[in-house]
Amino acid sequence: MGHNLVIDQGNSAAKVAIFRGPALVRSWRYEELTPRILTDIAADYDITAAIYCSVSRHGEDIVVTLRGIAPRVYELT
C-alpha cells in the first residue's frame, strides 16, 4: 500500500500531510510551499495519490510537480 499526499494551501501557510490508508504518518506546515519541498517529501515516501486544495492562489507549479510525483492527482477548486 502506498501513501497519499494531502496539501491544504491556505492564505498564511500550507499544511502538508502523508497518509497510509486512514492513518496519518507525518505532517508539516510551510509558510511557502515550493516544488522542491514536494520532491524531497516524495523521495522518502511511495506516493500513489495526491490531493491539492488552495484557497489563496492556484499553484500551477505545485500541480505540475505533483503530476510528476503521483500517478493520481486531484485538485479541489
Side-chain angles (χ1 to χ4, degrees), residues 14-73:
K15 284 72 71 183
V16 179
I18 296 287
F19 288 86
R20 185 175 179 105
L24 175 64
V25 175
R26 182 147 185 221
S27 65
W28 302 264
R29 184 177 188 276
Y30 299 100
E31 289 187 22
E32 182 180 351
L33 184 63
T34 65
R36 174 62 189 246
I37 289 170
L38 297 177
T39 56
D40 288 348
I41 290 171
D44 294 333
Y45 298 94
D46 176 29
I47 307 295
T48 56
I51 187 164
Y52 175 70
C53 176
S54 177
V55 297
S56 62
R57 64 179 179 89
H58 184 266
E60 188 62 35
D61 56 339
I62 298 298
V63 174
V64 168
T65 301
L66 289 174
R67 289 189 178 132
I69 290 171
R72 292 178 301 168
V73 176

